[in-house]
Amino acid sequence: EVGVRDITVALSGCGKGAQWQEALLLLLVMDTTILEPDTVVYNAAMTACEKGDEWQMVAALLTTMGGYMMELDVISYSAAISACEKG
């Protein structure tokens, strides 16, 4: 059975390979299951988008996190700042 930790590991792999499309797909799959993404999951997805030079997606994910009342942390803001610097 796949859990949140498994998805987080897969998202981290997407980040290392700058595979932002796959990261967003994994996040979308989580939304269709009983698994609830948390700050760590969103941070991993944002990092993948940042590495793929997709600052718009990072901004959208950051906004989504705020909408879900998730706690933003240093990693969240760091990914957003880094993506904006590249964009």
Side-chain angles (χ1 to χ4, degrees):
E1 188 172 309
V2 175
V4 173
R5 180 161 165 53
D6 300 311
I7 299 292
T8 303
V9 169
L11 285 167
S12 294
C14 290
K16 290 178 182 166
Q19 299 296 317
W20 64 273
Q21 298 99 334
E22 288 79 3
L24 294 178
L25 183 60
L26 284 169
L27 199 56
L28 181 64
V29 166
M30 282 190 83
D31 282 342
T32 63
T33 68
I34 60 169
L35 300 174
E36 292 187 31
D38 58 12
T39 300
V40 175
V41 169
Y42 269 87
N43 284 347
M46 288 193 329
T47 298
C49 291
E50 178 263 322
K51 301 248 190 239
D53 296 331
E54 292 295 322
W55 68 268
Q56 299 96 334
M57 292 308 304
V58 174
L61 291 172
L62 195 69
T63 301
T64 300
M65 289 176 74
Y68 286 142
M69 305 301 281
M70 289 183 181
E71 186 174 333
L72 303 172
D73 61 13
V74 172
I75 296 170
S76 309
Y77 291 116
S78 178
I81 290 167
S82 180
C84 289
E85 286 177 342
K86 292 178 181 179

